[in-house]
Amino acid sequence: MNKLQLKHRELKIISVIAASENISHAATVLGIAQANVSKYLADFESKVGLKVFDRTTRQLTLTPFGVALLPYINDMLDRNEQLNSFIADYKHEKRGKVTVYAPTGIIAYLSQHVIAKIQDIGGITLSLKTCNLERKAFYEGVDFPDDCDVLITYAHPKDESLVASFITKYAVMAFASPEYIKQHPINSPDELENHSCILIDSMMIDDANIWRFSSAGGKEMHDYRVTGNYVCDNTQSALALARNHLGIVFAPYASIQKDVQSGLLVPCFSEQHEWWLDLVAIFRKREYQPWRVQFILDAMLAEIRQQLTQTLQLSE
């Protein structure tokens, strides 16, 4: 019996048809004529001698054979992409996928101020994903997602084999709108229990968050249990609620400088109660990194550090 000679193009088309459940949609995704997609499918089914799809007037559905076949096809396509990326890395070609994780505020900053500054990205696909920290990550270390290449975050890695490259220190403080402060005066973190605080879901312990502040002299740290009517899964949503006078938000000063400058938000305390954290980039050792990851990592860190230097120079 002759072995089947399956082409990458055929497998790709079958995979896209399965995802689209429609020949027309698949043709649009693939950028080829609908008639050619139909011909590829018919030729493939003729070659293997089994139907992959059941056809109706509106869509295609996988046959039992198609359901069993699809994981093999997708696995072969993934392996082929990995092989191409491996070869491209050795040739220092800009192609393949790089996945960057960061908390919501950092992802927003990267998207707005950093990514566009990376020149000539070539054929690299840059995937930006949100990874908001749980409170315990500050004490136990942060987990590194399986599909992550670079994690920019506020805590050091739990896995000691990973590299943590220091970027800068930044202060987390309590802010509210001037209208909220006018209606609900507050002088120190000890009074937070009497106020509506805007909570972060990943930091929830029972029905509360634990916020950490240094003493006015900065020598000691104290934890404060805070509650409120609103729970958000990211800092940006929490800031939007605070701008609308709905409570106190705990956020990095660097992420809300514009709000403070414009007067939308103000620090809650006249004395400097804050929590200083390290911002770090976490990644695998360079000898285990594809070249495309090194290219994106180096470009991002260079741009971030240049912007930090410019900010410091302007503030002097």
Side-chain angles (χ1 to χ4, degrees), residues 232-256:
C232 299
D233 67 357
N234 64 80
T235 304
Q236 297 304 308
S237 299
L239 289 172
L241 294 176
R243 294 183 195 109
N244 282 294
H245 327 302
L246 295 177
I248 297 173
V249 67
F250 192 49
Y253 179 77
S255 68
I256 61 168

Side-chain angles (χ1 to χ4, degrees), residues 198-200 203-205 207-211 224-227:
I198 300 168
L199 311 180
I200 298 297
M203 296 172 63
M204 293 297 290
I205 300 175
D207 61 345
N209 276 187
I210 305 298
W211 290 359
Y224 299 89
R225 184 180 184 275
V226 301
T227 59

